[in-house]
Structures are given as structure tokens and as C-alpha cells.
């Protein structure tokens, strides 16, 4: 069924197409006839305005108004023709056309006032001579505006805006006002007003838009069919932000937000800056504040190499490092597309730092040696890894090559070429692993621990953290796509829990841990309580203005479908293998010293692992992994919390 707006749009479009297709003489004749009609109507309106009632024709005054109309025709139409009124293309008319019309109407007014208002016509009040030119000027101006609006296609924009979703802006401050200006001509949404906690603003208007209180939201939502609220309060605390989000969630409104205030550097707001709720909002906790002294300690004026620079963590590491102006930042990645993207992005914001994009695999010993010997980095951040559990489980040989032997190549050559700090990005899946990916990362940790014990030149350290919100493969982008598609959201188990952190938090932890390292430690972040994935899914559904469809609510919008745990997947992740964590200079960063194999013994085991990899036998690879990582249990899918 065609809605009202679509029908009107189609009707106007057909009329417009027919009108524009007429021959030019026909168009001019129509315009002339319309102006003649305006002359007649303006005389009758002038009589009405003068007498206070509609003019009644009688035998005594039968011809009086027609004399006034004829005078109008005799003056106006020749003037309009000679001044090019009907040579103008209405839909393209601009300031020049306005000037011509104004000049012509002034001349017309002088002559009409002279004939009707001063000389006079029998039966016609002299004041009609003064009123009619003003009424005609309004009619001529309105007719040209309507013609421009109609023939120029502006009606389509108007009809489209009428059918746009209605949205509210939370916050009538500077950011909210800037946002309303930016959206004033948007074809994506229409602003109907503001919500603000300031009672001095409530009940008033800002830029012609009303300001309401939060308690009025249910009424406004129903009256204006509001489906979205835009948070324009970038400078408030995370706690207050979450309180507002919790209130809006009760009304089943989708929530979008602006970037934090420190990202709005140019002082202006654009429609493109609107985005889904910040991933940090889904954490349910305050982000961990960084220590700027630790961030800059091993960064400023250093030569730094980031492997896996095009990945989620690697690219954010590069962004964070660039803030503290390293001398050279080497971007190492095997993916040309990912490397191009991060190099192009950083090139637009880099000033003094030399950016060096290098295509290389961490498994290629000759290429890595060439890079390290040529550029002699002071610090290496090793984030290159295969991290997706199901993929590595299906491709264990390639996972071991990259995660274990790639790390070994990078670490040993870094030691050989005098790198002062080597920081490995690890994962909580390395703790009592139940999958090949976790086991491969645990061996990578053991390689660094063994090398740290045997040398005092290069400081080797590891950073272990939980799931990173928004990274490739994260549940957040996946859930968002599933919500946009109308569901269902797929979840492997209703009780599955994970520790979460944001990408910036993860990158900052890595940099700060590198500054705290003395060699051989594993650093972890105090990430508070773990988050149930099903609760995260429900929160994302609610913050999209939708409801969960389940047994208690069969009329809901998005269903959550349980698919079953995948091979090697845990219900709960851990950050420690044994012992208690030790505090550091940063209150949220802890360190642990865990058991490992001495270098000679580990090398022997790695030779066995290399032999199994060379034979390309997945089961042999897993058996050898179990010999090295005694906690590795590939048959276990659930761990006790």
C-alpha cells in the first residue's frame, strides 16, 4: 500500500513532469493568465480590506470593481511583459529575478495609485488604489515562490522531511544547539525538540525548538512518534551518562551519541559524527584512566615497531603511540590492505614522527632480520597473531606457525639486534587453554619468559587481557549487525561470561606495562567483574530502542538464539594460572610471575612442535601442544568459575 507522502510525491512529480514538458509559449501564456487572475483577485481583496466585507454588486455599482480590474490589467500586464517576467525560468530564478520583480511592482504601484488613488474612478474607494498594489505584490511574490518550490523539486525534499523519523536531542547546551543546526537540513531525521535537566530552560524554546524535562518523554514519544534520542552532552561523567541511558532505555528509545569532548577538536559538530553508543557505555564501568608519565616513558623520540599494525589492537597502539611523538613508527603487517588503511589514517595526523609502512610476515626470518638491522627499533610491540578461536581450531598448523614461531622469530631477532623492550600482546585464553589459539599464546608467553631469564639486555614482557570490545571478531559488531538485520542474536551459551575492555584501554595498558616492565612479568588489567554475554546482548537490543523477544514477551523485536558452545570455547575466562597478582605503580595494572620451562628445555619441546608442524598433522600438533602446556585440555569446553 502506498502511504500518503508517497502518493502526494508521485502526484506532484507527474504534474511537474507534464508542466515542464509543455512548449515555452504555452508556459508563458499560462503564467500571463495566472498574473491576470492575480490582478482580479487582488482588486476584490482590496475592496474587502477597505469595506470590511465582501463587495456586493448592485445596479448602481455593477461596473465599478471591473474598472479597477481593467486598470490593473492595462498597467500590470504590459509592464510584466516588457520587463521579462515571462522569460524567467522560475525554478532557477535567483536574486536578479527578485530585483526585476521588485522594480516592476514599484513602477506598477506608482501608476495604479496615480490612476485609482489620486485621479479616482467612480464607485471605487481611493484607498483601494493604495491597498491593491500591496496585495498584488504579495500574490506575485507567493506565486513565484510556489513555482520555484514546485518546479524546482523542493516539494520532494519537504515531503521527504515530513516522513523522516522524529528525534529528540538530550542536552540544550552548546553541543545540543550545534547538533540541531547541523541536522536542520538533514534528510535522515528531523529534530522536534530538546530534553534538558536545567529547569530554567524547560518550557522555553531554543532555536525555535521546545525544551522538555525527562518526565515528559513518554508523552512526547507517543505524540510525535519519537524513536531516537541523540545524546549531545559529551563532557559529562560516565556515571551520569549511564544514568541517563538507563532512564531512556525504559522508554524503548534508540540512543545515539557524539564523540567525547576531546574528539570534538574543531568546535563544530557534523551529522557524520553521530554514532551508535560508545562501546565504553556497554562496559558498565568507568574506563581505566591512563598514567601519562608511563605512556610517554618508552615512547617519546624512540624508534618503535608495531607488528600486526593493521589489526584492531595494533592500529590503536599506533594511534596512541603517535600522540607521544616517537621518532620513527614502523608499521609492520602482512596484509597490504590493512597496512595501507592505518598508514593513510596516521599520515593525516602525524607531524614530526616518521611513519614507515612495511609489508612483512613475522614468520619470515630474513625479512624480519632485515627490518630490525636496518631501523634498529628501541621498542617492539608484538601484536601480530591469529586470534579467532574457531579459525585457529580448524587451522592449527597455521596458527602455531604464526603465533608460536612468529613470536619466537620476532623475540630472538629483537634480542640479537639490541631492542631494549619487547612487549607481547597476549590473551586470557592462554590461561588453562581449551583451544589451540590459547595454547599457542601460552607458548608465546613461555618463550618470552625463558628469554627474559637468560639475558639482561632486552626486557621481555607480556600483557594479558580479556575480550576487546569493538575489535575484529568481537561480539559487539556482530550483535549490531544482527540487530540491524532484525535478529536473531546468536549466542553460544546463556551462562557464558567474559571480561571486557575497550580498544583504547587495551592499547594504553600495553604501552604502560612496557614502561613498568623489568623482565619476564605478565601484566594484567583489573577489569572489575566479568560480564554475562546475554546481558550485553539484551543491553544492546534495549539501547537500539527495541525489546527482547522471549517466552515472557512474545511480541518482542529481537530474539536471542542459543547455538551451543563451539569446540575449545569456555564458559568463563581467567587471567591468572596460579598465585596472586602483585600491585604496580598503576592502581589498575597488576603483575604476576608464572611458571615456565627453562630455555634449553623449551627449545627441545619447540623442536618437537616444529617437527609436528612440518608433518602437517593437526592431531600430532595438538598432542605436542599438550606436552608443552600442561594445562592445555583440548577436550574441555567448560571451566569452573
Amino acid at each position: 500500500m502506498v502511504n500518503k507522502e508517497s502518493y502526494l510525491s508521485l502526484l506532484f512529480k507527474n504534474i511537474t513532469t507534464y508542466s515542464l514538458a509543455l512548449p515555452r509559449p504555452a508556459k508563458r501564456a499560462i503564467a500571463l493568465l495566472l498574473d491576470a487572475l492575480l490582478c482580479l483577485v487582488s482588486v476584490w481583496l482590496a475592496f474587502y480590506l477597505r469595506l470590511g466585507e465582501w463587495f456586493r454588486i448592485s445596479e448602481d455599482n455593477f461596473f465599478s470593481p471591473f474598472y479597477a480590474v481593467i486598470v490593473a490589467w492595462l498597467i500590470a500586464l504590459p509592464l510584466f511583459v516588457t520587463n521579462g517576467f515571462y522569460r524567467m525560468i522560475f525554478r532557477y530564478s535567483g536574486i536578479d529575478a527578485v530585483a526585476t520583480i521588485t522594480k516592476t511592482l514599484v513602477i506598477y504601484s506608482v501608476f495604479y495609485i496615480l490612476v485609482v488613488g489620486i485621479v479616482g474612478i467612480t464607485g471605487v474607494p481611493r484607498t483601494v488604489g493604495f491597498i491593491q498594489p500591496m496585495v498584488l505584490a504579495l500574490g506575485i511574490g507567493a506565486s513565484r515562490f510556489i513555482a520555484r518550490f514546485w518546479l524546482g523539486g523542493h516539494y520532494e525534499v519537504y515531503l521527504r522531511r515530513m516522513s523522516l523519523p522524529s528525534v529528540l536531542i538530550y542536552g540544550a547546551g552548546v553541543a545540543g544547539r550545534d547538533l540541531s543546526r547541523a541536522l536542520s537540513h538533514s534528510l535522515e531525521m528531523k529534530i522536534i525538540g530538546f530534553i534538558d535537566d536545567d529547569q530554567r530552560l524547560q518550557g522555553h524554546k531554543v532555536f525555535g525548538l521546545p525544551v522538555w524535562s525527562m518526565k515528559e518523554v513518554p508523552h512526547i514519544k507517543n505524540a510525535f512518534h519519537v524513536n531516537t534520542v541523540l545524546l549531545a552532552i559529551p563532557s559529562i561523567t560516565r556515571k551520569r551518562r549511564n544514568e541517563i541511558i538507563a532512564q531512556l532505555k525504559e522508554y524503548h528509545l534508540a540512543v545515539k551519541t557524539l564523540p567525547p569532548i576531546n574528539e570534538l577538536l574543531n568546535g563544530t559538530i557534523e551529522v557524520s559524527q553521530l554514532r551508535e553508543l560508545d562501546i565504553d557505555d556497554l562496559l558498565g564501568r568507568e574506563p581505566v584512566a591512563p598514567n601519562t608519565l608511563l605512556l610517554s616513558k618508552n615512547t617519546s623520540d624512540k624508534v618503535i615497531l608495531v607488528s600486526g599494525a593493521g589489526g584492531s589492537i595494533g592500529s590503536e597502539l599506533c594511534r596512541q603511540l603517535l600522540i607521544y611523538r616517537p621518532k620513527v613508527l614502523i608499521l609492520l603487517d602482512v596484509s597490504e590492505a590493512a597496512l595501507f588503511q592505518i598508514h593513510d589514517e596516521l599520515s593525516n595526523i602525524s607531524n614530526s614522527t616518521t611513519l614507515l609502512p612495511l609489508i612483512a610476515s613475522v614468520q619470515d626470518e630474513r625479512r624480519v632480520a632485515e627490518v630490525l638491522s636496518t631501523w634498529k627499533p628501541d621498542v617492539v610491540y608484538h601484536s601480530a597473531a591469529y586470534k579467532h578461536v574457531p579459525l585457529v581450531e580448524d587451522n592449527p598448523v597455521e596458527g602455531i606457525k604464526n603465533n608460536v614461531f612468529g613470536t619466537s622469530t620476532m623475540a630472538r631477532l629483537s634480542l640479537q639486534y639490541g631492542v631494549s623492550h619487547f612487549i607481547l600482546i597476549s590473551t586470557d585464553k592462554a590461561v588453562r587453554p581449551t583451544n589451540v589459539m590459547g595454547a599457542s599464546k601460552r607458548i608465546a608467553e613461555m618463550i618470552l619468559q625463558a628469554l627474559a631469564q637468560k639475558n639482561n639486555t632486552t626486557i621481555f614482557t607480556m600483557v594479558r587481557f580479556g575480550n576487546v570490545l569493538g575489535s575484529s571478531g568481537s561480539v559487539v559488531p556482530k550483535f549490531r549487525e544482527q540487530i540491524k538485520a532484525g535478529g536473531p542474536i546468536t549466542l553460544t551459551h546463556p551462562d557464558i561470561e567474559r571480561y571486557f575492555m575497550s580498544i583504547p584501554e587495551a592499547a594504553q595498558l600495553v604501552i604502560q606495562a612496557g614502561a613498568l616492565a623489568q623482565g619476564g612479568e605478565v601484566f594484567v588489567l583489573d577489569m572489575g567483574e566479568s560480564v554475562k554475554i546475554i546481558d550485553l546482548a539484551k543491553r544492546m537490543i534495549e539501547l537500539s530502542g527495541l525489546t527482547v523477544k522471549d517466552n515472557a514477551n512474545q511480541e518482542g523485536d529481537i530474539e536471542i538464539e542459543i547455538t551451543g558452545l563451539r569446540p575449545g570455547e569456555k564458559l568463563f575466562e581467567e587471567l591468572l594460572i596460579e598465585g596472586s597478582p602483585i600491585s604496580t605503580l598503576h592502581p589498575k595494572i597488576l603483575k604476576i610471575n608464572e611458571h615456565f620451562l627453562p630455555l634449553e628445555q623449551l627449545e627441545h619441546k619447540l623442536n618437537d612442535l616444529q617437527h609436528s608442524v612440518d608433518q602437517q598433522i593437526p592431531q600430532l600438533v595438538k598432542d605436542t601442544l599438550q606436552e608443552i602446556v600442561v594445562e592445555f585440555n583440548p577436550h574441555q569446553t567448560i571451566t569452573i568459575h
Side-chain angles (χ1 to χ4, degrees):
M1 181 177 229
V2 181
N3 61 38
K4 183 178 179 181
E5 289 80 9
S6 299
Y7 176 78
L8 287 174
S9 179
L10 183 62
L11 177 63
F12 280 129
K13 188 172 183 179
N14 289 337
I15 294 173
T16 303
T17 303
Y18 176 77
S19 301
L20 293 176
L22 290 173
R24 183 157 298 280
K27 294 177 186 175
R28 290 175 177 173
I30 291 172
L32 183 66
L33 288 173
L34 287 174
D35 286 346
L37 180 62
L38 284 173
C39 288
L40 186 151
V41 171
S42 63
V43 169
W44 281 97
L45 284 174
F47 269 84
Y48 171 78
L49 293 171
R50 166 63 179 83
L51 302 175
E53 60 182 4
W54 293 111
F55 184 80
R56 296 177 182 177
I57 299 176
S58 63
E59 292 182 3
D60 297 332
N61 61 10
F62 186 82
F63 292 105
S64 299
F66 295 105
Y67 291 147
V69 173
I70 291 169
V71 170
W73 284 341
L74 292 175
I75 298 172
L77 299 182
L79 271 175
F80 293 173
V81 171
T82 56
N83 281 278
F85 267 40
Y86 310 112
R87 293 196 300 270
M88 300 175 187
I89 301 177
F90 292 159
R91 65 185 187 277
Y92 300 135
S93 57
I95 191 66
D96 292 338
V98 173
T100 300
I101 291 173
T102 303
K103 180 186 72 173
T104 305
L105 288 172
V106 168
I107 297 172
Y108 167 81
S109 301
V110 170
F111 281 102
Y112 196 81
I113 291 171
L114 180 65
V115 174
V116 179
I118 297 177
V119 175
I121 298 176
T122 303
V124 178
R126 293 181 184 273
T127 48
V128 168
F130 293 88
I131 298 172
Q132 190 273 346
M134 292 187 287
V135 177
L136 180 62
L138 290 174
I140 294 292
S143 67
R144 268 51 181 179
F145 174 81
I146 292 170
R148 178 182 171 86
F149 181 81
W150 175 21
L151 299 176
H154 300 289
Y155 72 89
E156 292 182 352
V157 176
Y158 175 77
L159 290 175
R160 192 184 306 174
R161 282 192 58 78
M162 290 294 291
S163 62
L164 291 177
S166 299
V167 302
L168 286 165
I169 296 177
Y170 197 108
V174 174
R177 294 195 295 269
D178 286 347
L179 181 57
S180 70
R181 275 196 296 262
L183 290 170
S184 60
H185 300 293
S186 170
L187 294 180
E188 299 175 28
M189 58 188 73
K190 61 180 177 183
I191 306 298
I192 63 162
F194 297 92
I195 309 170
D196 202 284
D197 298 328
D198 191 341
Q199 294 181 357
R200 295 171 298 178
L201 295 175
Q202 293 169 6
H204 297 280
K205 289 191 175 183
V206 174
F207 292 158
L209 298 171
V211 181
W212 292 293
S213 65
M214 177 68 89
K215 66 182 180 182
E216 296 176 276
V217 169
H219 169 71
I220 298 163
K221 177 187 175 183
N222 295 330
F224 295 95
H225 306 290
V226 176
N227 57 13
T228 303
V229 174
L230 310 178
L231 290 184
I233 40 178
S235 60
I236 63 168
T237 63
R238 178 75 61 190
K239 180 181 178 182
R240 177 58 186 146
R241 185 187 185 90
N242 285 334
E243 289 173 354
I244 293 170
I245 290 169
Q247 286 180 284
L248 295 173
K249 186 176 68 173
E250 296 177 8
Y251 306 130
H252 304 300
L253 290 167
V255 182
K256 290 190 175 183
T257 185
L258 290 171
I261 194 69
N262 60 334
E263 292 184 29
L264 301 175
L265 299 178
N266 58 1
T268 61
I269 293 173
E270 298 177 358
V271 178
S272 60
Q273 290 175 303
L274 282 171
R275 61 193 190 188
E276 301 291 334
L277 270 179
D278 196 310
I279 286 175
D280 290 353
D281 293 315
L282 303 173
L283 284 174
R285 62 169 172 82
E286 294 287 334
V288 176
N291 183 322
T292 53
L293 292 177
L294 292 177
L295 287 171
S296 61
K297 182 180 177 182
N298 287 340
T299 307
S300 299
D301 206 34
K302 302 285 186 181
V303 178
I304 300 175
L305 184 148
V306 178
S307 68
S312 303
I313 301 299
S315 60
E316 183 62 26
L317 261 174
C318 294
R319 295 184 193 99
Q320 299 283 345
L321 288 166
L322 204 59
I323 296 171
Y324 297 94
R325 298 180 181 274
K327 183 179 179 181
V328 178
L329 184 55
I330 304 169
L331 315 173
L332 190 78
D333 204 295
V334 72
S335 168
E336 178 199 26
L339 187 61
F340 172 82
Q341 186 172 357
I342 185 60
H343 178 251
D344 184 59
E345 176 189 336
L346 298 181
S347 296
N348 294 324
I349 58 177
S350 175
N351 293 320
S352 59
T353 300
T354 299
L355 297 174
L356 188 64
L358 299 177
I359 299 176
S361 167
V362 294
Q363 301 176 48
D364 187 340
E365 187 169 341
R366 290 183 61 182
R367 175 63 170 150
V368 172
E370 177 189 6
V371 171
L372 295 176
S373 62
T374 301
W375 293 97
K376 294 182 170 52
D378 301 295
V379 184
V380 170
Y381 293 97
H382 182 51
S383 66
Y386 294 151
K387 66 174 187 176
H388 298 296
V389 170
L391 283 178
V392 176
E393 203 67 22
D394 291 337
N395 301 273
V397 172
E398 294 305 315
I400 296 301
K401 284 181 183 179
N402 198 64
N403 295 359
V404 174
F405 294 111
T407 299
S408 178
T409 296
M410 288 294 299
R412 292 174 187 275
L413 290 174
S414 293
L415 176 61
Q416 179 180 335
Y417 290 106
V419 172
S420 64
H421 286 73
F422 186 100
I423 300 97
L424 169 70
I425 285 75
S426 191
T427 171
D428 55 4
K429 293 176 177 61
V431 179
R432 280 182 273 277
T434 58
N435 51 66
V436 174
M437 195 281 283
S440 69
K441 295 297 284 185
R442 177 58 191 140
I443 296 176
E445 292 180 352
M446 294 170 69
I447 291 170
L448 264 64
Q449 289 173 303
L451 288 173
Q453 185 189 45
K454 277 292 185 179
N455 88 96
N456 55 10
T457 56
T458 299
I459 293 176
F460 291 99
T461 194
M462 297 130 276
V463 184
R464 187 188 289 164
F465 44 72
N467 291 263
V468 179
L469 287 169
S471 63
S472 63
S474 165
V475 294
V476 172
K478 176 184 174 184
F479 286 175
R480 277 187 176 152
E481 289 301 317
Q482 290 176 332
I483 290 171
K484 286 179 181 177
I489 282 182
T490 54
L491 186 64
T492 58
H493 196 284
D495 295 326
I496 198 164
E497 293 183 13
R498 291 292 182 265
Y499 291 100
F500 283 104
M501 65 195 313
S502 67
I503 294 179
E505 275 184 322
Q508 290 168 2
L509 168 64
V510 171
I511 299 170
Q512 292 171 97
L516 290 169
Q518 295 178 338
E521 314 97 328
V522 177
F523 288 95
V524 297
L525 174 67
D526 179 1
M527 292 186 288
E529 298 296 324
S530 59
V531 177
K532 291 193 73 170
I533 305 300
I534 194 167
D535 291 340
L536 178 65
K538 289 177 179 178
R539 184 169 171 81
M540 291 184 67
I541 292 171
E542 290 164 350
L543 291 176
S544 299
L546 304 172
T547 56
V548 178
K549 181 180 180 181
D550 53 23
N551 292 333
N553 182 20
Q554 289 293 329
E555 300 301 317
D557 302 300
I558 304 293
E559 187 176 3
I560 298 177
E561 180 181 308
I562 306 301
T563 59
L565 286 169
R566 296 169 298 185
E569 186 176 23
K570 296 180 182 181
L571 273 184
F572 310 103
E573 298 287 6
E574 305 162 278
L575 290 170
L576 307 179
I577 295 177
E578 60 185 7
S580 300
I582 304 166
S583 61
T584 68
L585 293 175
H586 193 296
K588 290 292 184 178
I589 297 178
L590 309 173
K591 68 178 180 179
I592 48 179
N593 294 300
E594 294 183 334
H595 77 274
F596 60 93
L597 296 176
L599 187 59
E600 293 79 6
Q601 187 177 350
L602 180 62
E603 286 178 338
H604 177 72
K605 297 286 187 181
L606 290 176
N607 287 335
D608 292 342
L609 184 61
Q610 182 67 66
H611 179 70
S612 65
V613 165
D614 291 340
Q615 293 187 63
Q616 299 281 312
I617 303 176
Q619 188 55 51
L620 182 58
V621 168
K622 292 184 179 182
D623 292 341
T624 311
L625 284 177
Q626 282 185 281
E627 294 178 11
I628 304 173
V629 183
V630 294
E631 303 90 359
F632 177 39
N633 186 351
H635 305 294
Q636 180 180 345
T637 58
I638 301 177
T639 63
I640 299 174
H641 189 42

